[in-house]
Amino acid sequence: MPELPEVETVVRGLRDKLVGNKVLGVSVLNTNTIKNPEDISRFEEGLNNKKIQDVNRRGKYIVILLEDYMHLIIHLRMTGQLLYSDDNLELTHLRVVWNLAKGKLYFNDIRKFGTVSLLASGELEKEKGYWSLGVEPLDDDFHLGYLKGKIKGNRPVKSFILDQSVIAGLGNIYADESLYLAKILPNRPINTLNEFELKSLSGAIKHVLAQSIKNKGTTFSDFVDSYGGRGSNQNHLKVYGRGKENCYECGTTLVKDKIGGRTTVFCLNCQK
DNA sequence: CGATAGACCTGTTTGC
DNA sequence: TGCAAACAGGTCTATC
């Protein structure tokens, strides 16, 4: 479900409610949600009476920083939801609950793919996906030079930009949208893109992500913000989910194909 | 090194 | 209508 804009929307909603708040206790309802289940007692007790100092996002990871440099690292994967409420919520797929001095934090996840781990500062490399993340695409250091430095081999440009060690937080929706906006075919080998195309691509990625954050993310079915609200960016998508429909720009039937194992939609006329 | 398939789960949509 | 297959925003691992 959630890519960078959705995770950013969740983090922005949580920050005010969590920073300065304090963890009183944790209930784990599905042990497999915890990344190191053998360490479950440490997870359940390690946060008691710890103050929350900050709530941030890195790629698609949510990072909650607590006293003593403890990091609560949460990945929503496909259907995870992180909800805050002052009242008791009845949730059908509840996996973890944090009891706070004020309110509660709920991790709800239909498919159980989501993960939560508790790590000290010196242990962050244990979270391999987190540790090896590439640049934040909305930061200034995501630019032509960065992309050129990352290019090797000839894999499809779509696989390249979905690689989290290249661009942190880009997922299937915004990869397709960015390639459409940049007018580049998703199966183009990455080493055939010229500088102009790489520049348009990085610009398109920034534009598409920023627009979705403004719209509070894309909601098809499961994504909600930290209060259960839906995003509206699904009303602005140009290609994702529109296979066999007509291109808004030229009317050509959009093609749906598999690239790098992921469903991909594009316009054979607008994209070169 | 890269590409591909399968695994992890549950719910919804599609196709015969 | 009914049921089985296919599919879904994401990673991780094994295998070639």
Side-chain angles (χ1 to χ4, degrees), chain A residues 149-219:
Chain A
K150 282 284 182 180
I151 291 172
K152 53 182 186 249
N154 60 351
R155 60 175 159 164
V157 57
K158 166 143 179 183
S159 303
F160 176 77
I161 62 174
L162 276 181
D163 185 337
Q164 299 298 294
S165 70
V166 176
I167 302 173
L170 199 69
N172 207 30
I173 297 176
Y174 304 110
D176 279 10
E177 294 295 312
S178 301
L179 288 164
Y180 176 78
L181 188 59
K183 300 185 186 295
I184 297 167
L185 286 169
N187 57 1
R188 282 271 303 282
I190 185 61
N191 58 2
T192 67
L193 301 212
N194 61 36
E195 288 206 352
F196 176 80
E197 290 172 316
L198 289 171
K199 224 169 172 173
S200 348
L201 182 56
S202 59
I205 289 170
K206 284 175 187 284
H207 177 86
V208 158
L209 295 176
Q211 178 197 261
S212 184
I213 291 174
K214 269 190 198 155
N215 292 323
K216 299 190 186 308
T218 296
T219 299

Side-chain angles (χ1 to χ4, degrees), chain A residues 93-151:
Chain A
H93 303 279
L94 191 56
R95 310 305 179 197
V96 184
V97 190
W98 290 268
N99 240 316
L100 308 177
K102 185 169 187 322
K104 287 183 179 177
L105 182 64
Y106 299 86
F107 185 69
N108 195 57
D109 184 18
I110 296 171
R111 292 176 72 180
K112 298 182 180 167
F113 287 170
T115 58
V116 181
S117 44
L118 178 63
L119 297 171
S121 298
E123 303 177 305
L124 293 175
E125 69 264 35
K126 285 187 186 172
E127 189 76 47
K128 281 174 63 186
Y130 176 79
W131 193 246
S132 57
L133 285 172
V135 72
E136 283 292 327
L138 292 174
D139 284 358
D140 289 341
D141 48 1
F142 176 58
H143 46 48
L144 176 65
Y146 173 82
L147 281 181
K148 280 169 76 176
K150 282 284 182 180
I151 291 172

Side-chain angles (χ1 to χ4, degrees), chain A residues 220-233:
Chain A
F220 283 113
S221 53
D222 304 306
F223 170 67
V224 289
D225 65 20
S226 56
Y227 304 100
R230 296 165 62 85
S232 65
N233 198 64

Side-chain angles (χ1 to χ4, degrees), chain A residues 176 179-180 184-187 239-240 243 245 247 252-259 264-271:
Chain A
D176 279 10
L179 288 164
Y180 176 78
I184 297 167
L185 286 169
N187 57 1
V239 286
Y240 181 86
E245 293 177 38
C247 173
T252 305
T253 304
L254 296 173
V255 176
K256 182 162 118 174
D257 203 356
K258 276 251 198 287
I259 295 177
T264 303
V265 181
F266 53 96
C267 176
L268 275 173
N269 184 44
C270 293
Q271 294 169 256

Side-chain angles (χ1 to χ4, degrees), chain A residues 14 29 74 76 80-91 94-100 103-109 226:
Chain A
L14 288 176
L29 290 90
I74 299 170
L76 305 174
Q81 304 172 328
L82 199 56
L83 298 151
Y84 173 88
S85 178
D86 290 320
D87 310 313
N88 287 326
L89 296 183
E90 297 289 329
L91 297 166
L94 191 56
R95 310 305 179 197
V96 184
V97 190
W98 290 268
N99 240 316
L100 308 177
K104 287 183 179 177
L105 182 64
Y106 299 86
F107 185 69
N108 195 57
D109 184 18
S226 56

